[in-house]
Amino acid sequence: MIGPEAGSDEEANRERGTDPESAASPLLEVEDLDVHYPITKGLLRREVGRVRAVDGVSFDIERGETFGLVGESGSGKTTAAHSVLGLEEPTGGEVRFDGQSVNELSGAALRAFRRRAQLVVQDPNEAFNPRLTMGEAVAEPLVLHGMEDADRRRAIVEDLLERVGLSAADADRYPHEFSGGEKQRLSIARALVLNPDLIVADEPTSALDGRVQSDVLALLDDVRREFNISILFISHDIDVVRRFCDRVAVMYLGEVVELGPIENVLEFPAHPYTRLLLGSVPSLDPTDQQFERPLTDTVPDPADPPSGCRFHTRCSEIVPPEDVELPWEQWRAVVAFRFTLQAGELPESIAVETADGKLDDATVRDRFDLPATLQDDAVDAGVDQAISAVIAGDLQTARDRLSETVPTVCEQRVPTATEHEAAHSVCCHRYDSTVEAEPRSWER
Amino acid sequence: MTTEHDSTTTADDRSEATPLLTVENLRTRIRTERETIYAVDGVNFTVDRGETVCLVGESGSGKSVTCESLTGIVPQPPAEIVDGTVEFDGRRLLEATESELRTIRGSRIAHVFQNPQSALDPVCTVGDQFVEAITIHEEISPAAARERAIERFRAVGIPRASARIDDYPHEFSGGQRQRIAIAIALAADPDLLIADEPTTAVDVTVQARLIELLQGLTDGGMSILCITHDLRVVAALADRVLVMFGGTIVERATTEQLLTQPSHPYTQALLDSYDGLSRRADRSARGEIPTDGCRFRAECPHAVDVCAGPDQPTFAAVADREHHAVSCVHFGPEGDPEPILDDWREMRPISGGQQ
Ligand code: SF4
Ligand code: SF4
C-alpha cells in the first residue's frame, strides 16, 4: 500500500476525508447507464440496429460495501461493470465516482480515478506478463503512477504479498511458478497496490474451485474490511454471491430486474426471472431435484429484445388479460404455446409431422398440455383456430390468432422499478399497484 | 435411482453382477522437465450398469487424468500409465492397441468435455459430424444416418432439428452446442459416457436442462462417469461419489452419505469451503502434496505419525455403512473416528440450513 506520505496533497486530503460531500454520497452512483453497440451492414457500415447491451441500469455502491451483479450470458453484467471503470464508453446515462462524473474526468482527476478504481479479472493466467517477476508485475502500477524509488516499491510489494498470504520472497518468482489460486491472490495484491477505494471484480473466482476459491473470496473479504474498500462483484454463481455480497442486482438482457439486500433477493426473490435463476440451481438435497422451468427455452437476441417486459417470452408468471377467465395451468399452457410459436423453435414432433401432413389437433394439444376445451370461450375459440393454422402449416396465422386472443400487459408496457419492500426494488408489473395483478407466491 | 446394486443382484445374472467398469490400482505419471507428477496414484473403483458415479475433487486432484487414462486419451508422453488394470465389459483396456481403443471410444465409451468447441469441428455441419461418428462404427445408409441424427438431436432437445441439422456449430447457442456434442458422443449408443465438467461452461438455466438430459440417459441403462467440482451437480446426478485428493481416492460414498456425513477430513474441508468464507486463517498454507502415505497429511488437523505411510491408508467403512468408506487411519481397526465425525457436526451441515 502507498502510505499516507506517498500520495500527493490532493490524495492525502481525500484520504483524510476533508471533502464534506464524500462521507454523505455513495462512492459509486450509476444512473440510467446505456451501452449500445451499433449493428452495421455493408461497406458503408450503415447502422441497421443496436445491441442494447446495457439499457437504463442504475445502482449505487456505498463505501465498504460489496455489491453483486448477477445474470446469465448476454445479461450485460460485464459490460456494465467495464463501463463503470471507463473501459467501455457509455452511450447514455452517467457514472459518478465520489460525486464526480467519470466521463468528464481528465488530467490529474482522471489519473486519480484510475488509481482509486481497480479491476480484478477472471482468469489469473491472463493477468500477468510471463516475463516479469511477480514483484515487477505487482509494482507496475506504482511505476505507471510515478513512484520512482525502487526500494520503496519493493517494500510496498513485499508487504502486500504477505497480506495476501504469500511471502516476500515470492516477489522474485515468475508467473508460471504459481498456482491459479496464488496468481489470483497476486492480482488482488496488484489491485491493492494503489490503495483503491473500489475494486471491480469480474468473476474473480470462476477459474478456481473448492478451497482455493473459498480462500480467495475470504481474502477479498478481508481486504475490503481492513481497507474499507467497496467491491463491485460480477458473478454468475449464486452461491458465491450469497456468501460474499451485501446487496445484489439481477440483470436480464441489459436491464436490472431486481435489486436489494442479499438475503431478501436470494431467500425471498420477487422477480420471476430471479425465481427462475434460483430455481434452476440444483438443490444440495439429492432427493429434491425439481427445477423451475421457463415458459420457453429460447433466450431472445439482445439486439432485438422483446417489447414491454423483456422477460415476457420466458416468464411463467406472465400476467393474463383482465377479461380472461382461465385456471392458472391453462393460462400458462396457452401463453407457452403462443411464445413457442413466436420463437419459431417448434418441438420436433410438431415440425416433422407438419411436413408429413399427419399432424392433428390432439397431437398439438398433447404436446403443449392444452386441454380439449379451455374454460374461457373466447380463448378456446382462438386457440382452436391457431391449432388449425399450425396443422395447415400456416404459422404466421397461428401466431396472429394467439396474439389477438391472449394479449398481455407484459408485452405492451415496460414495467418500472417499484419499491417492493425497503431498499428492495423489482421491475415487474405484478408489483406495480396500477396493474391489475398480484405477485405470486414462491417456494423453492 | 437406486444404489443398492450389490445387494439386489443375483449370482446367475452375470452381466448385472459384474460392474461395467472396474479400475484397479491405476497409476498415471506426468513427466515434465522439472518434475514427475504422480497424477493418479493407485486408484480403484467400479461403475455399474445404469449407474452414475461422480468424481469430485479440486483441480489437480487427478480426476481428469484418471478418466483420460481409461481409454488412453491422456497425451502420452508427457503422461505415462505405469500400473493398473482397467476392465470394461470383460476387456482389458490398458493392454488394448490404439486402434482397438479408437473403436471402443467411438462405439462403447464416449467422452464429453467442459467445452463443446473442442469436440465439434467448426467447418463441418453438425449433421455431418453426427453421421461421421455413426458410420465409423456401423454399416448404415447415409439417409438412415441422417434420420438418426435428426432423431437424436431432437432427443437432446434441439428445436426444429430437421431444419437445423445442416447448420454449423457456431450457429447454435453454447447450451445447444453442448447438447449437440452429447448427441454426437451418444451417436453409437455407448455403454459408458465419461463427462468432464459437462455443465461448467453453461448458464444455470441451461445447466438445469442438461442435468435433466443426463438424468434421462441412465434410465435407458447407460452408465455415466462424471467429473465435477460442483457439489450441486453431484447432488443432482450422482448415485455414488468418489472424492479425490493428490491422485488418490480418499472417500467413497452414496451421494446422500457424502453430503450428510462427509467423513474424510479432506472431504469435510471441501464441503465446508462450499458455503462459508471459511477458516482460511486456521489453515496452514498449502505446500507440496506428499506422494506417499495419506496425501492430505500436511493439511490435516487430525494427522498422526502413522499417516506418513508408506502406503495410502487402507479403506475402512464409516459406521459399518455399506458403500461408505474412507482412506484414513482413524477409521481403521485401531483408530477412533469420533473426533473426526464430531468435526463435521460442528461445521454447518450443508444440506440442512439452505436449499
Ligand atoms: S412484467 Fe410480466 S413478464 Fe415481466 S416479469 Fe413481471 S409478470 Fe413476468
Ligand atoms: S490418514 Fe491421517 S492425515 Fe490422512 S486424513 Fe486421516 S488423520 Fe488425516
Side-chain angles (χ1 to χ4, degrees):
Chain A
M1 291 279 137
I2 303 184
E5 76 285 1
S8 64
D9 282 353
E10 167 213 34
E11 286 155 358
N13 282 342
R14 175 184 60 74
E15 269 144 25
R16 293 191 200 104
T18 45
D19 179 357
E21 255 192 282
S22 69
S25 66
L27 178 70
L28 182 79
E29 297 159 279
V30 176
E31 205 180 296
D32 254 337
L33 185 72
D34 292 336
V35 184
H36 296 177
Y37 303 111
I39 310 168
T40 56
K41 221 178 164 175
L43 228 52
L44 298 175
R45 302 186 61 76
R46 189 165 47 90
E47 183 172 327
V48 293
R50 283 173 154 240
V51 178
R52 299 197 269 177
V54 175
D55 209 21
V57 163
S58 302
F59 59 88
D60 293 341
I61 304 183
E62 302 293 337
R63 282 152 223 281
E65 185 183 40
T66 301
F67 187 87
L69 269 186
V70 300
E72 298 183 281
S73 31
S75 65
K77 57 188 192 302
T78 294
T79 310
H82 285 185
S83 56
V84 161
L85 286 177
L87 300 174
E88 192 92 52
E89 186 86 25
T91 46
E94 190 173 53
V95 177
R96 284 188 300 277
F97 186 79
D98 226 355
Q100 278 194 304
S101 173
V102 168
N103 307 346
E104 288 160 16
L105 294 178
S106 62
L110 181 60
R111 271 202 307 284
F113 170 69
R114 294 222 171 105
R115 182 174 78 61
R116 295 177 63 196
Q118 293 290 323
L119 178 69
V120 172
V121 296
Q122 172 176 356
D123 187 352
N125 294 311
E126 284 174 9
F128 294 99
N129 179 339
R131 282 188 288 273
L132 292 186
T133 65
M134 279 303 188
E136 288 164 337
V138 173
E140 207 178 16
L142 291 173
V143 179
L144 289 175
H145 281 79
M147 183 186 282
E148 276 158 20
D149 181 341
D151 291 340
R152 280 237 341 262
R153 290 201 304 261
R154 176 80 187 193
I156 290 167
V157 166
E158 288 185 348
D159 177 49
L160 267 178
L161 291 184
E162 280 172 5
R163 279 173 192 270
V164 299
L166 298 162
S167 75
D170 287 327
D172 297 320
R173 295 164 66 199
Y174 287 87
H176 73 262
E177 298 175 64
F178 295 90
S179 68
E182 287 168 334
K183 269 187 254 186
Q184 199 56 300
R185 287 165 180 275
L186 286 156
S187 40
I188 293 169
R190 185 166 61 179
L192 288 172
V193 75
L194 292 170
N195 201 8
D197 297 299
L198 173 71
I199 290 180
V200 174
D202 187 2
E203 303 269 9
T205 61
S206 11
L208 310 171
D209 61 11
R211 297 171 305 154
V212 176
Q213 177 178 71
S214 172
D215 287 353
V216 169
L217 279 179
L219 170 65
L220 267 175
D221 199 49
D222 286 352
V223 300
R224 102 166 147 122
R225 283 171 204 285
E226 191 173 346
F227 305 111
N228 201 33
I229 294 172
S230 307
I231 299 184
L232 174 57
F233 190 87
I234 298 122
S235 182
H236 70 282
D237 185 335
I238 286 160
D239 283 316
V240 167
V241 169
R242 177 184 284 120
R243 281 148 62 171
F244 191 67
C245 296
D246 302 316
R247 287 190 303 140
V248 64
V250 180
M251 290 186 70
Y252 182 76
L253 289 182
E255 298 178 330
V256 169
V257 297
E258 180 162 7
L259 187 158
I262 206 82
E263 53 289 359
N264 300 33
V265 175
L266 298 188
E267 301 311 320
F268 308 100
H271 195 280
Y273 176 64
T274 315
R275 292 172 172 185
L276 171 65
L277 269 189
L278 292 168
S280 299
V281 176
S283 158
L284 281 166
D285 177 353
T287 60
D288 167 27
Q289 293 297 331
Q290 282 298 313
F291 294 118
E292 190 91 22
R293 275 189 163 271
L295 198 59
T296 62
D297 277 321
T298 310
V299 184
D301 182 353
D304 184 21
S307 62
C309 171
R310 291 185 178 181
F311 187 52
H312 81 258
T313 58
R314 301 182 72 206
C315 179
S316 43
E317 303 185 30
I318 185 167
V319 177
E322 276 168 48
D323 57 352
V324 163
E325 302 263 338
L326 281 179
W328 182 253
E329 285 313 314
Q330 292 191 6
W331 160 248
R332 199 181 183 278
V334 172
V335 269
F337 181 42
R338 183 188 156 188
F339 290 115
T340 307
L341 288 187
Q342 192 169 299
E345 302 266 310
L346 281 192
E348 192 62 22
S349 52
I350 306 284
V352 163
E353 284 155 19
T354 311
D356 296 354
K358 272 187 292 186
L359 193 62
D360 61 16
D361 187 273
T363 312
V364 178
R365 286 185 190 271
D366 181 57
R367 180 57 193 75
F368 286 97
D369 288 328
L370 292 162
T373 46
L374 293 155
Q375 274 179 30
D376 183 297
D377 291 342
V379 176
D380 193 54
V383 168
D384 269 346
Q385 291 167 15
I387 293 175
S388 308
V390 169
I391 293 168
D394 182 358
L395 292 185
Q396 194 50 51
T397 301
R399 287 186 197 119
D400 293 346
R401 283 310 292 130
L402 287 171
S403 67
E404 290 156 24
T405 308
V406 285
T408 156
V409 62
C410 297
E411 66 182 322
Q412 292 157 349
R413 272 165 57 185
V414 177
T416 46
T418 24
E419 195 95 338
H420 158 55
E421 33 186 46
H424 182 179
S425 69
V426 183
C427 197
C428 164
H429 290 311
R430 289 192 173 273
Y431 297 82
D432 179 343
S433 54
T434 67
V435 175
E436 220 25 68
E438 292 297 308
R440 291 180 62 79
S441 64
W442 188 81
E443 227 174 289
R444 166 65 217 217
Chain B
M1 277 188 252
T2 172
T3 51
E4 302 298 308
H5 305 278
D6 301 345
S7 53
T8 54
T9 47
T10 54
D12 52 2
D13 191 349
R14 270 208 47 89
S15 74
E16 286 294 313
T18 359
L20 178 67
L21 178 76
T22 304
V23 177
E24 277 173 6
N25 197 33
L26 183 69
R27 289 178 202 270
T28 304
R29 294 191 185 149
I30 298 172
R31 291 185 216 283
T32 69
E33 275 171 34
R34 285 176 293 138
E35 59 191 337
T36 296
I37 300 164
Y38 294 77
V40 181
D41 210 17
V43 158
N44 300 280
F45 66 93
T46 60
V47 179
D48 284 343
R49 287 160 212 276
E51 186 186 34
T52 300
V53 174
C54 276
L55 264 178
V56 304
E58 294 162 305
S59 20
S61 60
K63 51 195 197 308
S64 292
V65 182
T66 298
C67 288
E68 290 169 8
S69 298
L70 304 179
T71 58
I73 57 170
V74 64
Q76 305 176 66
E80 188 190 348
I81 301 169
V82 295
D83 200 4
T85 56
V86 174
E87 194 168 312
F88 171 76
D89 200 18
R91 300 177 70 168
R92 294 166 80 93
L93 300 187
L94 296 185
E95 284 86 54
T97 64
E98 178 49 37
S99 84
E100 286 169 340
L101 283 176
R102 215 173 308 129
T103 311
I104 288 170
R105 283 200 297 268
S107 58
R108 310 288 314 276
I109 302 179
H111 288 268
V112 171
F113 302 94
Q114 175 173 344
N115 183 348
Q117 263 82 320
S118 63
L120 298 175
D121 183 344
V123 299
C124 204
T125 69
V126 295
D128 286 349
Q129 294 183 55
F130 184 95
V131 169
E132 190 192 328
I134 185 167
T135 41
I136 292 176
H137 306 285
E138 202 176 319
E139 293 276 328
I140 184 169
S141 73
R146 205 178 145 83
E147 206 156 289
R148 177 99 59 93
I150 295 172
E151 182 193 304
R152 292 300 175 81
F153 287 163
R154 179 196 306 166
V156 298
I158 300 297
R160 297 185 300 127
S162 52
R164 303 214 57 191
I165 183 163
D166 295 319
D167 287 352
Y168 291 88
H170 74 266
E171 294 174 270
F172 294 87
S173 69
Q176 287 180 336
R177 276 198 293 268
Q178 188 60 294
R179 284 158 182 261
I180 288 168
I182 291 174
I184 293 173
L186 301 179
D189 294 321
D191 304 281
L192 174 65
L193 177 69
I194 300 179
D196 191 342
E197 303 275 5
T199 66
T200 301
V202 299
D203 281 325
V204 42
T205 54
V206 177
Q207 169 175 284
R209 303 288 87 76
L210 281 176
I211 285 174
E212 289 171 345
L213 170 63
L214 292 170
Q215 284 168 341
L217 295 177
T218 47
D219 297 345
M222 185 185 295
S223 306
I224 300 178
L225 178 58
C226 178
I227 297 177
T228 179
H229 71 278
D230 185 338
L231 294 176
R232 292 187 182 275
V233 172
V234 171
L237 283 181
D239 297 312
R240 285 191 303 122
V241 190
L242 308 167
V243 182
M244 283 193 78
F245 181 83
T248 63
I249 292 175
V250 298
E251 179 160 1
R252 44 176 110 250
T254 67
T255 309
E256 175 92 44
Q257 288 164 345
L258 190 95
L259 292 174
T260 53
Q261 180 55 271
S263 299
H264 192 281
Y266 168 69
T267 315
Q268 294 182 344
L270 182 68
L271 267 62
D272 187 46
S273 77
Y274 197 75
D275 69 342
L277 294 171
S278 69
R279 310 157 192 29
R280 181 179 66 94
D282 305 353
R283 261 200 313 266
S284 54
R286 289 188 276 276
E288 295 286 291
I289 295 174
T291 54
D292 59 0
C294 178
R295 284 19 174 212
F296 190 54
R297 67 180 182 273
E299 301 165 48
C300 180
H302 302 279
V304 289
D305 288 348
V306 285
C307 303
D311 293 329
Q312 177 185 356
T314 314
F315 267 91
V318 175
D320 294 325
R321 289 186 196 160
E322 198 183 359
H323 300 302
H324 193 179
V326 290
S327 161
C328 169
V329 297
H330 294 298
F331 287 80
E334 252 102 82
D336 173 16
E338 274 314 306
I340 296 176
L341 297 174
D342 276 347
D343 262 11
W344 182 250
R345 291 179 196 119
E346 270 171 35
M347 297 178 192
R348 194 158 20 138
I350 70 170
S351 45
Q354 45 174 282
Q355 354 127 354

